[in-house]
């Protein structure tokens, strides 16, 4: 009997994690029957469809189309629809990725239906429950049977929470599988020319975390600071829909967008990879971008108080500043003075994580 494995994706950061695993499972059609379910948490073509095309990922077998809502609404809608899907075509194993609402919702449904769960990117902890992702991570890990970990801190965290060692597998960072596989293709991107950018002479920025964007005072402070940085080095900011919406509501969009601060639409995977890999440095509050810059050895300033990915600070090129202008500007000055740390690539971030996960999945009944 083939093992029916259902991969769940929903939001932008899931797609580059699922693509390599789906591809690897499909190379063994006698052993696995993989299926893909997209919850529709992210629905804008630029946040979803474009990634499928660029990552060479087959269309989902099932699209639930749940869309946006409050956390409870979104999570509940995903659960209701997933329960129907799992009842119609019950998988032997559900694989969830990362820490978005779709991840936790799928884990809850699978656990209640006694379907085994594998969590890719398990064990990360910011120890900050004000982050919705931290709650998603804790719940998902608690319910998972196979925990695939990206960095050593994940092993420590899970053991400290009492997860038995035999459930924990240090398999490395699957997002780096997509990154390494796309480095050649991203060279064909025309994004630098399109935006009239010179390699190494601009800042790539992202900002979407509720703690930075939903608070008017913090958002205004951050954008004022970004304008002052843009006076020294041009800044390119592909804005997440929630950030754009907030800036529009506050009437900030027109006032901050001038020639040196370019606020643009969200980019696809290859254009964004091209943009960050040729940048002078990156300013972000994202989770995954801390890891991508560490792999690319591009200096990264993370406008968050904490990180669930400490290896990017301890080993990689990441500096944590919080959203505080004085601290961010201090880090910017360090980089402008040529004192940025470039770090090294963490263990098992080598493009072979999907292979290692599949080897483990072969051994489970
Ligand atoms: C989600 C993840 C976050 C991840 C981020 C990456 C959770 C709790 N958060 O946050 O961890 O870093 O994705 O992008 O799962 N919207 C659109 N179009 C879309 C999607 C969203 O306009 O395709 C707007 C909607 O107004 C929506 C808001 O963005 O209400 C927030 O979307 P949501 O999926 O709830 O969370 P993200 O902020 O995207």
């Amino acid at each position: 009997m083939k093992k029916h494995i259902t991969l769940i994706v929903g939001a932008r950061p899931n797609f580059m994690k699922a693509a390599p695993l789906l591809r690897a499972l499909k190379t063994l059609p006698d052993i696995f029957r993989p299926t893909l379910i997209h919850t529709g948490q992210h629905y804008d073509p630029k946040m979803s469809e474009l990634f499928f095309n660029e990552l060479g990922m087959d269309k989902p077998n099932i699209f639930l189309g749940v869309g946006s809502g409050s956390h409870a609404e979104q999570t509940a809608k995903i659960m209701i629809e997933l329960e129907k899907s799992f009842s119609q075509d019950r998988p032997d194993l559900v694989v969830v990725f990362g820490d978005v609402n779709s991840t936790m919702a799928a884990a809850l449904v699978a656990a209640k239906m006694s379907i085994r769960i594998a969590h890719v990117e398990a064990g990360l902890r910011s120890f900050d429950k004000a982050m919705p992702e931290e709650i998603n991570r804790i719940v998902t890990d608690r319910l998972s049977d196979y925990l695939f970990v990206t960095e050593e801190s994940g092993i420590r965290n899970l053991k400290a929470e009492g997860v038995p060692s035999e459930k924990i597998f240090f398999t490395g960072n699957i997002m780096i599988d997509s990154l390494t596989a796309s480095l050649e293709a991203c060279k064909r991107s025309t994004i630098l020319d399109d935006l009239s950018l010179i390699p190494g002479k601009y800042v790539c920025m992202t900002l979407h975390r509720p703690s930075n964007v939903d608070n008017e005072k913090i958002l205004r402070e951050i954008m004022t600071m970004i304008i002052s940085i843009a006076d020294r080095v041009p800044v390119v900011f592909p804005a997440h829909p929630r950030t754009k919406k907030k800036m529009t509501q506050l009437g900030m969009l027109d006032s901050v967008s001038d020639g040196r601060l370019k606020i643009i639409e969200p980019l696809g995977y290859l254009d964004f990879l091209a943009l960050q890999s040729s940048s002078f440095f990156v300013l972000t509050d994202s989770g995954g971008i801390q890891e991508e810059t560490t792999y690319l050895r591009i200096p990264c300033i993370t406008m968050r108080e904490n990180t669930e990915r400490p290896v990017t600070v301890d080993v990689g090129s990441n500096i944590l500043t919080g959203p505080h202008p004085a601290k961010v500007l201090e880090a910017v000055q360090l980089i402008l003075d040529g004192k940025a740390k470039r770090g090294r690539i963490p263990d098992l971030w080598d493009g072979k994580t999907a292979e290692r996960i599949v080897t483990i999945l072969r051994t489970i009944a």
Side-chain angles (χ1 to χ4, degrees):
M1 270 284 276
K2 291 183 194 179
K3 293 175 203 186
H4 178 201
I5 301 196
T6 298
L7 280 59
I8 308 293
V9 292
R12 185 168 60 178
N14 290 153
F15 306 135
M16 52 291 249
K17 296 169 194 167
L21 185 59
L22 187 61
R23 204 175 308 119
L25 289 169
K26 285 193 170 175
T27 61
L28 297 167
D30 296 337
I31 301 173
F32 299 113
R33 177 167 77 87
T35 53
L36 182 68
I37 298 184
H38 187 334
T39 65
Q41 176 175 346
H42 282 175
Y43 46 87
D44 281 356
K46 285 185 179 129
M47 302 287 286
S48 176
E49 202 180 316
L50 185 53
F51 284 75
F52 275 74
N53 299 338
E54 292 189 333
L55 292 160
M57 192 158 46
D58 292 340
K59 284 211 162 45
N61 301 76
I62 298 172
F63 182 74
L64 304 178
V66 300
S68 297
S70 71
H71 283 267
E73 280 166 353
Q74 193 176 56
T75 307
K77 277 196 226 161
I78 298 169
M79 288 180 69
I80 292 166
E81 294 307 317
L82 271 181
E83 190 181 49
K84 290 184 206 157
S85 297
F86 292 168
S87 303
Q88 276 164 16
D89 187 13
R90 185 187 166 90
D92 299 310
L93 178 80
V94 166
V95 185
V96 295
F97 301 86
D99 56 16
V100 301
N101 286 345
S102 301
T103 309
M104 182 191 69
L108 277 167
V109 174
K112 295 236 174 179
M113 294 178 78
S114 302
I115 299 169
R116 283 173 303 165
I117 304 160
H119 183 202
V120 177
E121 201 184 274
L124 297 181
R125 295 289 180 270
S126 64
F127 302 100
D128 174 6
K129 286 211 186 102
M131 277 181 89
E133 292 82 1
E134 182 72 354
I135 297 165
N136 294 342
R137 288 189 280 261
I138 293 169
V139 173
T140 304
D141 284 342
R142 195 79 190 94
L143 299 176
S144 292
D145 302 280
Y146 305 95
L147 296 106
F148 296 116
V149 172
T150 52
E151 60 166 88
E152 302 268 359
S153 74
I155 306 174
R156 280 198 303 278
N157 295 334
L158 292 172
K159 285 194 173 162
E161 290 173 19
V163 178
S165 301
E166 55 276 19
K167 286 187 173 182
I168 305 171
F169 304 90
F170 181 32
T171 41
N173 192 333
I174 200 161
M175 208 177 56
I176 304 302
D177 290 22
S178 280
L179 194 160
T180 50
S182 306
L183 278 176
E184 265 312 301
C186 92
K187 287 185 189 150
R188 291 193 289 276
S189 161
T190 57
I191 190 72
L192 267 70
D193 287 344
D194 297 347
L195 296 172
S196 311
L197 297 169
I198 305 165
K201 300 239 183 281
Y202 63 90
V203 180
C204 167
M205 166 187 166
T206 78
L207 185 78
H208 75 282
R209 228 150 261 299
S211 57
N212 284 337
V213 169
D214 292 354
N215 178 312
E216 180 178 345
K217 181 169 168 280
I218 295 178
L219 182 59
R220 284 193 190 279
E221 266 176 21
I222 291 177
M223 290 317 298
T224 306
M225 168 190 75
I226 299 297
I227 291 167
S228 76
I229 295 172
D231 280 341
R232 304 169 74 181
V233 206
V235 177
V236 187
F237 174 21
H240 182 291
R242 80 175 302 134
T243 313
K244 204 159 189 183
K245 203 175 181 181
K246 201 77 197 174
M247 289 177 75
T248 310
Q249 278 167 7
L250 298 174
M252 287 169 70
L253 209 52
D254 294 335
S255 60
V256 298
S257 200
D258 67 15
R260 295 184 63 83
L261 168 59
K262 293 180 205 288
I263 300 182
I264 59 173
E265 290 292 306
L267 293 174
Y269 184 67
L270 295 175
D271 280 341
F272 190 74
L273 191 53
L275 192 71
Q276 54 169 337
S277 60
S278 289
S279 67
F280 185 8
F281 63 92
V282 171
L283 256 171
T284 191
D285 62 359
S286 147
I289 293 171
Q290 298 172 56
E291 298 184 332
E292 288 172 342
T293 46
T294 276
Y295 182 86
L296 295 165
R297 305 183 71 224
I298 298 274
C300 178
I301 299 173
T302 299
M303 295 178 281
R304 285 179 45 191
E305 304 288 0
N306 49 50
T307 179
E308 60 289 334
R309 295 160 160 92
V311 78
T312 61
V313 176
D314 300 340
V315 170
S317 58
N318 191 16
I319 307 171
L320 278 187
T321 58
H324 317 294
K327 285 196 181 166
V328 176
L329 292 172
E330 196 184 311
V332 168
Q333 192 58 52
L334 196 86
I335 296 170
L336 292 176
D337 290 345
K339 293 184 192 147
K341 66 172 177 149
R342 301 251 162 208
R344 66 170 179 83
I345 297 173
D347 295 343
L348 300 191
W349 292 23
D350 57 0
K352 295 186 177 135
T353 294
E355 263 176 54
R356 283 189 282 269
I357 293 176
V358 167
T359 303
I360 294 160
L361 294 182
R362 283 183 78 151
T363 64
I364 67 177

